[in-house]
Amino acid sequence: MVLPTLLAAAYPVRSPAASITMAASLPDAVSEVLPSKVAEDPGVVPLWRALRGCYPSDEAALTALTANKGIVTPWVVSPSTITSNNALLRGMLGKQRALNVITKNPGVLAC
């Protein structure tokens, strides 16, 4: 029957092992800051990478994440939202002023 095959392809089942493997690729400091349900979601890894790319260091990105954990919540924001908002701010304000804005209010990356 074709329908179950199509449904299986459209809605893959996440295994707990896959979530653990993906979460393991997060830095320990990031996993410790996030609620366990969020840290286990495989969508957090690309969000962390996008967030990390906006800041000059892991420490600066971790500080931003600590201030606003919602910026790496997969059901709220996407990696492209983070990177495009950062690019927009840099284009409007310049690199240093944009960094000042996202340091003071990391949530603007998720809007």
Side-chain angles (χ1 to χ4, degrees):
M1 188 172 191
V2 175
L3 186 57
T5 305
L6 291 175
L7 288 174
Y11 300 101
V13 176
R14 290 187 197 164
S15 71
S19 295
I20 291 168
T21 302
M22 291 299 287
S25 64
L26 285 174
D28 289 339
V30 174
S31 294
E32 291 171 8
V33 168
L34 296 173
S36 60
K37 284 283 188 189
V38 175
E40 292 171 0
D41 192 300
V44 171
V45 174
L47 286 167
W48 165 251
R49 288 181 184 144
L51 181 68
R52 172 57 188 92
C54 297
Y55 292 91
S57 67
D58 286 349
E59 294 79 23
L62 185 59
T63 299
L65 179 61
T66 302
N68 189 337
K69 295 172 185 70
I71 53 180
V72 294
T73 307
W75 48 92
V76 175
V77 68
S78 70
S80 63
T81 300
I82 292 171
T83 56
S84 63
N85 286 344
N86 188 48
L88 177 67
L89 288 168
R90 284 180 175 207
M92 291 173 51
L93 305 173
K95 186 176 180 180
Q96 188 57 47
R97 287 182 65 203
L99 180 59
N100 289 340
V101 169
I102 66 173
T103 299
K104 291 177 183 175
N105 185 4
V108 299
L109 294 169
C111 296

